[in-house]
Amino acid sequence: SQKIEQNSEALNIQEGKTATLTCNYTNYSPAYLQWYRQDPGRGPVFLLLIRENEKEKRKERLKVTFDTTLKQSLFHITASQPADSATYLCALDHPQGGYNKLIFGAGTRLAVHP
Amino acid sequence: NAGVTQTPKFQVLKTGQSMTLQCAQDMNHEYMSWYRQDPGMGLRLIHYSVGAGITDQGEVPNGYNVSRSTTEDFPLRLLSAAPSQTSVYFCASSSHSSTEAFFGQGTRLTVV
């Protein structure tokens, strides 16, 4: 079965620095990979989607890369701010039984310190 | 624009009780799903539906039932609650499994 690994340890960085979060997956190569942000007590919120034929995707201060050879996606936040502190989840669509399922990694908590 | 609405937000059940968690979306999405989130485990897929009348099991389906009689609604039923089902439950919808998913605010369930 598909396995998604995200660093379970919290990432602590200084305001203004670039935060880099990693998402690794095994067994299956998804056609799409997504990143979400989750704040405490709230549901996840979609940030970015990247397709397998796209190496990189950007949205404002966010950048996502997708390396299908390494089976890895990197999520970057440049010029980080304390408001970026949250848990970040990666997700991918996984086919099983004729339908695709959207499955998630456990998430990495990011703390940006002033 | 309501998006995805879950009710209730909080619930305490006794072991063996049954209940239904409600989920409704107003975006005409075909794909809906239920996840549970436990500390350190991330979001785990319970059941999902690719359209009215079509449901399938996710990673952790035992102890839960679903049905999809309309595009808008996707209720999750706990037939006989167990303490192991204490968790935060999220409902999500999207136009497809590989497109942006919209989540509800979650239901915090405690089984004592």
Side-chain angles (χ1 to χ4, degrees):
Chain A
S1 62
Q2 183 59 266
K3 187 175 180 180
I4 304 174
E5 294 180 344
Q6 293 186 257
N7 194 338
S8 59
E9 294 183 7
L11 178 63
N12 291 282
I13 65 167
Q14 207 68 30
E15 182 176 8
K17 301 293 185 183
T18 296
T20 298
L21 286 70
T22 304
C23 175
N24 296 299
Y25 56 93
T26 60
N27 296 337
Y28 165 68
S29 293
Y32 305 85
L33 193 144
Q34 304 180 34
W35 284 88
Y36 289 77
R37 168 182 173 143
Q38 186 175 24
D39 292 289
R42 309 295 294 271
V45 175
F46 173 81
L47 295 175
L48 280 169
L49 179 150
I50 186 166
R51 293 174 172 78
E52 61 178 341
N53 60 353
E54 297 176 316
K55 296 295 184 185
E56 181 179 297
K57 198 83 167 278
R58 292 176 184 261
K59 179 183 176 181
E60 298 174 350
R61 294 185 295 111
L62 309 180
K63 184 179 84 171
V64 172
T65 62
F66 193 8
D67 190 325
T68 55
T69 301
L70 293 178
K71 295 186 183 294
Q72 180 181 80
S73 175
L74 299 179
F75 177 81
H76 307 271
I77 305 176
T78 58
S80 60
Q81 305 166 0
D84 295 326
S85 299
T87 296
Y88 292 86
L89 308 168
C90 72
L92 54 86
D93 66 310
H94 178 59
Q96 185 170 338
Y99 305 118
N100 278 20
K101 305 184 296 186
L102 184 63
I103 59 174
F104 283 80
T108 299
R109 188 164 60 87
L110 172 67
V112 182
H113 302 282
Chain B
N1 214 1
V4 179
T5 303
Q6 286 184 239
T7 55
K9 290 186 178 178
F10 302 93
Q11 183 71 50
V12 179
L13 287 179
K14 293 183 178 179
T15 298
Q17 285 185 317
S18 62
M19 81 158 294
T20 299
L21 279 62
Q22 301 292 342
C23 176
Q25 53 94 5
D26 61 0
M27 297 171 282
N28 202 32
H29 284 163
E30 290 296 323
Y31 190 92
M32 295 186 74
S33 51
W34 276 102
Y35 295 87
R36 61 177 290 174
Q37 189 171 38
D38 303 292
M41 301 291 288
L43 288 163
R44 290 186 292 169
L45 183 64
I46 304 172
H47 285 285
Y48 66 106
S49 170
V50 298
I54 307 172
T55 64
D56 202 356
Q57 296 181 347
E59 303 166 271
V60 288
N62 292 340
Y64 307 95
N65 277 357
V66 293
S67 59
R68 184 95 180 270
S69 56
T70 67
T71 299
E72 295 77 20
D73 301 298
F74 190 43
L76 179 72
R77 297 183 187 85
L78 282 71
L79 302 177
S80 179
S84 61
Q85 294 179 305
T86 293
S87 187
V88 180
Y89 291 85
F90 288 101
C91 177
S93 77
S94 60
S95 57
H96 188 271
S97 65
S98 56
T99 57
E100 173 185 358
F102 294 83
F103 282 81
Q105 289 297 300
T107 296
R108 183 173 293 275
L109 175 68
T110 302
V111 183
V112 298

